[in-house]
């Protein structure tokens, strides 16, 4: 019996290799292998959390939570409220916590959010229903600014998580 796995794209390889690269830099600054291992584990745990939410809980959300006029599921982890909470939590974890696992989880969650925001920024109707989940519809310029802000914020947070002393 063969296990059939889907082929990976270049962005998938990038998503899988970025945590390893960040962990190597993290280890260079901290010189503690166990802490670097927790940091790497956190990256993959954060990524797995959002991937499993989208792949496994999607059916539940769509069948029980969606409204009649919804074309797309309303995933809690892809809502504007979740993203705003992520921004606040990531600042807290990076500045106040010494947990390498927590910093890795924040980085992994942010990586998946970055890719999904970037890939969907040109699809205004999808973006509004999938991420914004509000009555007010955002236009293309507002979406572009939000995505760019999130990417810059994520880059800074990731940089700080890697070099935090």
């Amino acid at each position: 019996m063969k296990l059939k796995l889907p082929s990976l794209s270049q962005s998938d390889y990038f998503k899988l290799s970025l945590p390893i690269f960040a962990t190597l830099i993290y280890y260079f600054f901290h010189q503690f292998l166990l802490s670097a291992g927790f940091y790497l584990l956190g990256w993959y745990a954060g990524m797995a959390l959002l991937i499993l939410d989208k792949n496994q809980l999607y059916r539940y959300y769509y069948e029980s939570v969606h409204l009649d006029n919804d074309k797309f599921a309303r995933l809690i982890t892809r809502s504007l409220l979740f993203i705003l909470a992520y921004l606040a939590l990531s600042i807290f974890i990076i500045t106040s916590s010494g947990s390498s696992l927590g910093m890795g989880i924040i980085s992994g969650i942010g990586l998946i959010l970055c890719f999904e925001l970037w890939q969907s920024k040109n699809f205004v109707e999808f973006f509004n229903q999938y991420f914004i989940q509000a009555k007010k519809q955002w236009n293309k310029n507002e979406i572009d600014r939000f995505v760019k802000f999130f990417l810059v914020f994520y880059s800074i947070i990731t940089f700080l998580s890697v070099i935090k002393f």
Side-chain angles (χ1 to χ4, degrees):
M1 181 168 124
K2 276 189 162 181
L3 180 63
K4 188 167 183 159
L5 296 173
S7 61
L8 298 175
S9 66
Q10 283 183 328
S11 66
D12 292 333
Y13 285 117
F14 180 74
K15 283 187 250 184
L16 292 172
S17 61
L18 184 62
I20 296 169
F21 179 70
T23 302
L24 291 173
I25 296 171
Y26 182 90
Y27 179 74
F28 176 76
F29 280 104
H30 298 272
Q31 298 294 314
F32 189 55
L33 189 59
L34 186 61
S35 180
F38 280 128
Y39 184 70
L40 181 64
L41 180 67
W43 269 86
Y44 289 120
M47 291 169 61
L49 177 72
L50 288 187
I51 291 169
L52 288 173
D53 177 56
K54 185 176 183 180
N55 293 339
Q56 299 300 319
L57 297 178
Y58 177 84
R59 285 182 225 102
Y60 168 75
Y61 290 135
Y62 192 71
E63 292 171 0
S64 63
V65 181
H66 83 284
L67 302 173
D68 292 334
N69 60 349
D70 284 350
K71 294 179 184 173
F72 313 104
R74 293 177 184 258
L75 295 172
I76 304 302
T77 56
R78 300 330 189 268
S79 67
L80 183 60
L81 182 60
F82 179 83
I83 293 172
L84 293 175
Y86 169 82
L87 297 175
L89 181 63
S90 61
I91 290 171
F92 172 75
I93 293 289
I94 300 302
T95 60
S96 301
S97 171
S99 171
S100 56
L101 180 66
M103 288 187 283
I105 289 172
I106 287 296
S107 298
I109 289 171
L111 180 64
I112 298 298
L113 286 174
C114 280
F115 271 90
E116 289 186 3
L117 287 167
W118 182 261
Q119 290 172 341
S120 61
K121 72 182 179 102
N122 293 324
F123 306 100
V124 176
E125 181 184 0
F126 173 79
F127 194 92
N128 278 301
Q129 194 164 352
Y130 194 69
F131 289 107
I132 305 305
Q133 299 181 13
K135 290 182 181 181
K136 185 205 179 288
Q137 299 291 304
W138 288 22
N139 62 36
K140 176 111 173 77
N141 290 333
E142 291 171 326
I143 292 171
D144 282 340
R145 283 193 303 257
F146 177 73
V147 171
K148 287 175 185 173
F149 167 78
F150 189 84
L151 291 173
V152 169
F153 179 84
Y154 176 72
S155 299
I156 292 168
I157 288 297
T158 303
F159 175 74
L160 291 175
S161 77
V162 168
I163 66 162
K164 184 175 189 262
F165 292 100

